[in-house]
């Protein structure tokens, strides 16, 4: 008889090993955190002399679930912003909030909250990818869970690094410090091909190979990513990253929604693991990954929840059920991805995808004791059938809930007993999480009190205002003015011809001003468009001052390059209404008495306004300067023969839609 | 101040009314089971004088969920058989088990189990469609839930009726007895267009119109159903049922996975409600219903779990989340079906789909008090954000679990308090359910001990055996035999020419015998196929007796028309291996000395066997008869000039694959 620390006895033991062995009544012998025996109850009774016993009667005893892809600290952002376009969600909410709030404290608290949820839903191992990943590792180790912790590297400044060189250096130090830890596998996390350069991908792969750790990244998540890769790199995502030597590392690739069979084989030959995230892929409308084909090809496909901000939970029961359901519904084949295989994805195959298949993912002698107990007797999964050997998998995948997990052990240590967390203070955690959420709420509420602060939040502009002094007059015939542009007192520095497409966002509160999205088409002499420019201008509500003959000190304006689409801004700013104005503009930058002015000769085509308009304007920084320029603008009008023309203080949008 | 029975006070009150009003802190005033006031806490405090108060601080107070389509008693069959083709699941398992087990006791117990699960997951109203529906109604009323109870009518014999006339009559009596009940709305349930005749559909519609009750049915669930409808009726499902006057009733149509916009408008104009069942539609690989378009068109689309045998639970939280996720993932539009609308489908729109919109589905003055309380503070849905008015819907749809429902009230009566069921004995229920499950297990285990009993279980054959006495000889040249068929001693009663395609299912245990699936193509004189016949034959393993010259008393055989496809039988019987044999057969039914014999002249084409074979055989019922016929068979062989030909006791499959 061999002495051992603990015998889990008299349960329905699912090994989830390659041959799906199952013992009922079965037992698991554990010593020093290691599984040293597994089999029929009677057999293990004969073989081992346990110093402690744990009765599992009426319970399913199985390997802990493996959450193959998440961003644990984002548990603090769950439900912050939903039902939005991916770019609005990411650029409008996640990134600004992360920029403001993500620091080591946030990461520690978010990781604790995520660990609490994952333990309570039967997860023993997870693959994480976030900022300040060393804090994720530290908290996870304290809590006692197992994790692949991947330090994010990307081409943009991040909450924990101002450059990719910084984050790569930090990543190396993190790995060197943690490698060999009994619970944590540190690793390299190049965020995605489209957020890294080729150089960054190569450097990450080299680091992972050099230090012999996994590399965790997002690949081929959306059709757009693949389309862009084809356009920019001349090939889809997998061949592209292969060319950057990424696949020389032990890769864990999240998503792979849009890959073909050839790419699957490339990943297979590289020994890469896949994390399938069905909820996130549906919720963010990325699509449905071809997991049945991936499994056929032989890939190790695990299941992940993705970050709780895009799911919005870390429930692997829900995720596994959805993986099984979706595979059937999308293929039209009701026998696709049966329950047993779905559960293998959530355990054994997931562990292999994380390159941790030797130590966890199934109950086998020699693996670490990462074990959960499930009570299958609640009303929602009763009654239970015995006839088919698959019935127990069906029960776990199609009707069990996360709350049916009663006990959780990682590496031989109990983390939950009878649904009570042993290594976390749940009440304190909830209080602290709610406190952060309230601060984030306050930040966003403050931000969203004004269009300007929303604009600033997405990095759309600095807060610098600009003012203009300007006049606008209506002309029946532009030809005389055009002729006088040759006047020797005006030196033309630059002349351009545009078609301008303006969309004004109008808000219910007029104090918000108007936000203009302008598309300028630059037209050459033959009438061809040779360049396009997109700009945002936020115009304040009040005119500053009016001089004689409707010369204005114009409204305060905030300018920004429009780097996103009109649709993006529409969803992000949610205007009360919109107005479109199109015009043809000939524009001169001229010097008049050593001062620069813009002269615009405009024709408003949509809605069609009678005649042409002449504008003369100049930037200004002081009241005195504005008064001088107002006088010069009147002189220029006279010089152009338009001194007597009808002047208007209105903007085109107001002329086009009086009262707007 | 108005005196009232109860004030639910100080909660976050979601009305789920058309304008999504929300009160925080809010209150609900209830008197005699009716909502008599709803609004801000302070306001209701001023207006009402409650005889009892219920503190809802920290809870979300909202209308109970409406499960828009289920078969509640099938909770007793959950997990019985999964990951199967729809026909194998239905014809191989559900129908045989229902035929054997479904009686009033089964229906009562199953309804109780389903009610327990639904109450525990926040459902207050459900639409049911099953057999012995009056028992469903009785139990539901006792438990205190609200339901639309629809008595199944179909063209096949059912557990509760031997003919459609019987079930229609029972349905009428049920409706007359229950109409006007405070909780139960009785209704007519024609199962589906393909399980009813046009006459049944018309009769059901007439009954529903006459008695002014809803009509609950399955429409356009699978692409195959629509395809068949087009072929058989010349039009898709919705126009077809309209032509049968079905849409003159107040219809609740489950599924509608495969309908187009025109059909949606037809349903809209008929005032029909829809039950969307995303889990079931995925799990059974039926597809994804176009719910976003249905909502755009203006249909009342509720959400249903479908029966727990095809889901496998009754969890409306899971179902609602999946509806929202799928709409986005399938359309590619992440803003499709936002959380608020998904929750409206699970409440207000569902109630309208059931034609119960006036009395439940939202918290409004004048509606019945069908109310649930939810604790949103568990780790999986923490923290909570306040900024967006949609955040609470997001929290409920994307992260809340069924187990977060703490209290449930229907019609002003508490059915659950602090997760304890008040009107059901959960432990007793689980014991009784498990007892039935064990009986079903035993029945299926017994059945699946033999291929024969599996064959009988699907109605494939009666248990009558047949024996043949026969001989088979090999011929180099068939022409001399053909010439002698004209012999005056043989009277040809019938002559046919076939091509026969046989697939043999071979089982690991030879005692099971072999199951043959045979496709007979009938060939006319010009060589054209003019008819096809499919038959199953189960051949026992042992030869009964051998007479002289290899004349055999053949193996016991069970014969049946093969009404399903080869694929069906393959999945249902799960043979160890398969063998295919193809042959050309000319067959004569002849009379010889007042006794009928079959004479076959065969050529085995796949695998190609040398020469031709002549078989002479006759059915037999007794040993003495067999001996007589054995002698006559030898006489016929001589008559045909084949008395000296090489005889073989083997079947073609054995000649083709020696050792099989």
């Amino acid at each position: 008889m061999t002495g051992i620390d603990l015998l889990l006895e008299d349960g329905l033991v699912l090994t989830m090993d390659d041959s799906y062995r199952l013992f009922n009544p079965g037992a698991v012998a554990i010593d020093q955190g290691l599984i040293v025996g597994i089999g029929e109850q009677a057999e293990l009774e004969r073989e081992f002399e346990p110093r402690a016993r744990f009765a599992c009667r009426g319970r399913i005893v199985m390997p802990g679930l493996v959450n193959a892809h998440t961003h644990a600290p984002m548990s603090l952002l769950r439900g912050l912003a939903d039902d939005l376009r991916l770019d609005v969600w990411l650029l409008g909410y996640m990134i600004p909030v992360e920029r403001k709030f993500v620091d080591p404290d946030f990461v520690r608290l978010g990781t604790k909250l995520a660990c609490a949820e994952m333990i309570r839903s039967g997860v023993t191992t997870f693959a994480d990818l976030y900022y300040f990943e060393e804090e994720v590792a530290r908290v996870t180790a304290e809590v006692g869970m197992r994790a692949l912790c991947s330090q994010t590297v990307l081409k943009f400044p991040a909450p924990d690094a101002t450059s990719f060189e910084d984050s790569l250096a930090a990543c190396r130090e993190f790995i060197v410090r943690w490698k060999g830890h009994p619970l944590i596998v540190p690793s390299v996390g190049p965020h995605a091909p489209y957020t890294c350069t080729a150089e960054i991908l190569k450097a990450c792969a080299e680091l992972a190979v050099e230090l012999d750790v996994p590399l965790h990244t997002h690949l081929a998540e959306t059709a757009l990513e693949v389309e862009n890769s084809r356009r920019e790199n001349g090939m889809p995502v997998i061949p592209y990253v292969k060319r950057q030597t990424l696949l020389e590392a032990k890769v864990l690739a999240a998503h792979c929604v849009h890959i073909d069979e050839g790419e699957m084989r490339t990943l297979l030959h590289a020994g890469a693991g896949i994390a399938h995230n069905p909820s996130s892929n549906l919720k963010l409308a990325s699509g449905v990954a071809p997991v049945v084909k991936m499994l056929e090809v032989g890939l190790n496909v695990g299941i992940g929840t993705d970050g709780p901000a895009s799911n919005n939970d870390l429930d692997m029961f829900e995720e596994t059920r959805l993986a099984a359901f979706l595979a059937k519904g999308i293929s039209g084949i009701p026998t696709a991805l049966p329950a047993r295989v779905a559960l293998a994805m959530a355990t054994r195959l997931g562990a292999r995808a994380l390159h941790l298949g030797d130590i966890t993912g199934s109950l086998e002698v020699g693996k670490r004791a990462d074990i959960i107990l499930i009570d299958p007797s609640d009303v929602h999964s009763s009654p239970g059938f015995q006839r088919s050997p698959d019935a127990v998998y069906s029960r776990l995948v199609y009707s069990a809930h996360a709350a049916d997990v009663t006990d959780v052990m990682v590496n031989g240590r109990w983390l939950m007993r009878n649904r009570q967390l042993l290594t976390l203070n749940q009440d304190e955690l909830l209080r602290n999480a709610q406190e952060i959420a309230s601060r984030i709420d306050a930040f966003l509420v403050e931000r969203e009190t004004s269009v300007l602060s929303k604009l600033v939040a997405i990095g759309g502009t600095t807060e610098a205002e600009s003012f203009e002094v300007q006049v606008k007059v209506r002309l029946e015939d532009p030809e005389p003015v055009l002729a006088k542009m040759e006047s020797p007192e005006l030196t033309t520095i630059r002349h351009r011809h545009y078609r301008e497409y303006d969309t004004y966002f109008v808000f219910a509160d007029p104090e918000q001003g108007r936000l203009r999205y302008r598309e300028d088409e630059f037209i050459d002499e033959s009438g061809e468009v040779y360049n396009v420019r997109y700009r945002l201008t936020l115009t304040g509500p009040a005119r500053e001052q009016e001089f004689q003959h409707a010369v204005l000190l114009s409204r305060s304006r905030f300018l920004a390059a429009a780097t996103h689409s009109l649709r993006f801004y529409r969803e992000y700013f949610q205007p009360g209404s919109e107005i479109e104005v199109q015009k043809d503009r000939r524009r001169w930058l001229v010097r008049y008495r050593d001062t620069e002015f813009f002269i615009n000769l405009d024709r408003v085509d949509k809605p069609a306004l009678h005649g042409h308009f002449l504008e003369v304007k100049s930037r200004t920084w002081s009241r005195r300067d504005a008064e001088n320029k107002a006088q010069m603008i009147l002189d220029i009008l006279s010089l152009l023969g338009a001194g007597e023309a009808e002047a208007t203080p209105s903007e085109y949008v107001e002329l086009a839609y009086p009262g707007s």
Side-chain angles (χ1 to χ4, degrees), chain A:
Chain A
M1 301 269 279
T2 311
I4 53 168
D5 289 342
L6 178 66
L7 188 71
L8 302 182
E9 58 183 13
D10 211 13
L12 165 48
V13 176
L14 302 191
T15 64
M16 298 308 297
D17 66 10
D18 281 323
S19 49
Y20 294 93
R21 285 181 311 151
L22 181 160
F23 304 102
N24 189 19
V28 186
I30 297 163
D31 198 57
Q32 298 193 344
L34 201 70
I35 298 174
V36 295
I38 186 159
E40 299 295 344
Q41 174 68 27
E43 191 188 322
L44 267 69
E45 277 290 358
R46 282 193 298 275
E47 194 176 345
F48 296 103
E49 193 160 31
R51 286 178 285 279
R53 290 165 176 277
F54 191 87
C56 304
R57 173 166 291 228
R59 298 280 188 271
I60 293 169
V61 180
M62 61 172 283
L65 303 175
V66 177
N67 185 346
H69 178 66
T70 189
H71 313 288
M74 293 182 89
S75 61
L76 291 174
L77 304 178
R78 90 169 87 229
L80 173 67
D82 285 309
D83 298 321
L84 298 170
R85 280 160 46 106
L86 181 59
D87 52 359
V88 175
W89 176 78
L90 192 66
L91 302 169
Y93 291 90
M94 290 301 131
I95 288 181
V97 169
E98 286 182 328
R99 195 188 298 135
K100 175 84 180 175
F101 287 93
V102 172
D103 61 17
D105 283 343
F106 178 99
V107 167
R108 279 192 290 269
L109 180 60
T111 303
K112 277 187 197 172
L113 184 64
C115 286
E117 185 184 353
M118 286 194 275
I119 295 170
R120 285 172 63 78
S121 53
V123 172
T124 53
T125 298
F126 63 99
D128 194 70
L129 179 60
Y130 206 57
Y131 310 111
F132 299 107
E133 194 66 33
E134 187 155 7
E135 301 302 328
V136 176
R138 195 166 286 147
V139 168
T140 303
E142 280 165 23
V143 169
M145 291 184 76
R146 192 179 302 287
L148 177 74
C149 292
S150 313
Q151 167 62 37
T152 298
V153 181
L154 75 179
K155 68 183 174 187
F156 308 117
D160 59 352
T162 53
S163 71
F164 110 79
E165 289 88 350
D166 285 0
S167 61
L168 201 69
C171 184
R172 170 186 289 276
E173 288 168 24
F174 162 53
I175 293 170
V176 168
R177 271 194 293 272
W178 285 80
K179 209 181 160 208
H181 189 279
L183 291 170
I184 304 301
V185 175
S187 62
V188 189
H191 176 269
Y194 61 93
T195 52
C196 291
T197 60
E199 178 197 5
I200 297 177
L201 296 177
K202 279 184 192 141
C204 287
E206 262 173 39
L207 184 63
V209 170
E210 178 197 333
L211 300 180
D212 189 29
V213 291
L215 181 152
H216 182 182
T217 188
H218 301 91
L219 294 182
E221 180 171 1
T222 66
L224 183 66
E225 177 189 345
V226 175
E227 196 184 308
N228 287 343
S229 180
R230 283 184 186 278
R231 200 181 54 243
E232 291 161 20
N233 310 315
M235 63 190 90
V237 173
I238 305 302
Y240 170 70
V241 299
K242 184 178 180 207
R243 179 165 298 191
Q244 313 320 322
T245 73
L246 201 80
L247 301 188
E248 290 175 16
K250 296 184 287 190
V251 168
L252 167 62
H255 304 302
C256 295
V257 176
H258 301 278
I259 63 173
D260 66 19
E261 195 173 334
E263 291 175 280
M264 291 176 203
R265 294 194 188 283
T266 302
L267 289 167
L268 178 71
H269 294 141
I274 312 293
H276 173 44
N277 304 269
S279 286
S280 166
N281 295 157
L282 286 180
K283 184 158 181 285
L284 301 176
S286 309
V288 179
V291 285
V292 172
K293 177 56 77 182
M294 289 181 196
L295 290 168
E296 263 177 43
V297 161
L299 280 164
N300 290 317
V301 186
I303 296 176
T305 58
D306 207 351
S310 55
N311 183 316
N312 295 345
D313 57 27
L314 295 163
D315 185 340
M316 281 290 291
F317 281 85
E318 185 194 326
E319 214 63 36
T320 307
R321 175 159 47 240
L322 182 56
F325 280 0
L326 263 185
K328 300 175 215 305
I330 298 303
S331 66
I333 301 171
T335 54
L337 201 47
R340 196 164 77 159
V341 178
L343 199 63
M345 292 171 74
T347 53
R348 184 177 75 246
L349 297 179
R352 288 188 191 151
L354 270 60
H355 305 276
L356 296 175
D358 290 343
I359 56 173
T360 191
S362 60
L363 303 189
E364 295 181 77
V365 171
K367 286 200 179 183
R368 307 305 302 174
D370 297 348
I371 301 175
I372 61 175
L373 271 61
I374 292 172
D375 176 2
S377 74
D378 205 342
V379 283
H380 58 261
S381 48
S382 287
F385 292 91
Q386 310 274 340
R387 174 192 60 87
S388 160
D390 284 335
V392 64
Y393 303 105
S394 185
R395 200 170 184 182
L396 284 167
V397 171
Y398 298 135
S399 49
H401 293 180
D404 300 339
V405 177
T406 57
D407 303 86
V408 173
M409 168 185 283
V410 176
N411 214 34
R413 177 186 182 196
W414 289 111
L415 306 187
M416 183 167 79
R417 288 278 282 266
N418 200 22
R419 288 206 67 66
Q420 297 306 306
L421 293 174
L422 303 182
T423 58
L424 282 162
N425 180 332
Q426 187 168 329
D427 292 340
E428 185 189 330
L429 207 48
L430 291 175
R431 267 198 311 279
N432 293 345
Q434 194 52 51
E435 195 268 326
I436 281 252
S438 302
R439 278 166 45 210
I440 295 173
D441 258 343
F443 164 73
L444 286 176
V445 166
E446 166 63 25
R447 179 188 96 169
E448 302 205 348
T449 52
S450 86
V451 173
L452 174 59
S453 54
K454 286 192 75 166
L455 189 60
V456 172
I458 53 170
T461 180
T462 56
E463 288 199 49
E465 288 179 286
S466 84
F467 292 85
E468 282 182 335
V469 56
Q470 61 171 28
V471 74
K472 172 186 287 163
V473 300
R474 194 189 284 265
L475 303 173
E476 285 303 315
D477 179 7
E479 291 309 319
V481 167
L482 278 171
K484 289 186 173 143
M485 283 301 299
E486 306 299 317
S487 157
E489 289 173 74
L490 293 176
T491 312
T492 293
I493 301 167
R494 192 167 70 223
H495 172 55
R496 289 221 169 105
H497 186 188
Y498 309 100
R499 265 195 301 272
E500 292 187 327
Y501 301 86
D502 293 345
T503 302
Y504 290 87
F505 290 170
V506 182
F507 300 94
D509 173 8
E511 286 301 308
Q512 297 292 345
R514 271 195 305 261
L515 187 68
R516 184 182 69 198
Y517 175 88
R518 170 170 288 179
E519 205 170 326
D520 282 319
E521 289 182 351
F522 292 60
I523 297 167
D524 66 16
E525 280 157 25
S526 67
E528 294 294 306
V529 175
Y530 68 93
N531 193 11
V532 186
R533 176 175 61 184
Y534 307 95
R535 283 186 305 175
L536 282 178
T537 306
L538 176 64
T539 312
R543 289 174 196 144
E544 293 298 316
Q545 194 176 349
E546 186 162 343
F547 304 99
Q548 64 179 113
H549 196 69
V551 176
L552 302 179
L553 179 62
S554 79
R555 301 152 191 222
S556 66
R557 306 190 320 159
F558 297 87
L559 301 168
T563 50
H564 309 307
S565 69
L566 179 57
R567 271 187 65 93
F568 170 88
Y569 294 115
R570 181 179 291 141
E571 297 222 5
Y572 179 67
F573 287 105
Q574 305 262 333
S577 62
E578 295 181 29
I579 298 172
E580 288 188 16
V581 176
Q582 283 178 25
K583 60 180 177 295
D584 181 275
R585 162 164 291 178
R586 279 170 289 187
R587 162 171 262 209
W588 293 263
L589 172 59
V590 300
R591 189 170 296 115
Y592 174 72
R593 288 196 233 146
D594 284 338
T595 305
E596 290 185 359
F597 291 85
F598 282 106
I599 298 175
N600 297 330
L601 194 58
D602 297 338
R603 188 188 69 233
V604 179
D605 296 328
K606 182 185 168 185
L609 294 183
H610 176 71
H612 285 68
F613 294 89
L614 175 68
E615 289 187 336
V616 185
K617 52 176 71 173
S618 184
R619 294 250 173 105
T620 184
W621 291 268
S622 77
R623 178 64 46 125
R624 178 187 297 264
D625 178 66
E627 283 171 4
N628 285 341
K629 285 180 173 162
Q631 186 53 54
M632 284 194 273
I633 280 172
L634 289 176
D635 295 348
I636 293 171
L637 272 190
S638 298
L639 198 64
L640 295 174
E644 300 305 308
E646 174 205 350
T648 171
S650 300
E651 294 189 27
Y652 290 121
V653 60
E654 293 158 340
L655 291 171
Y657 298 94
S660 70

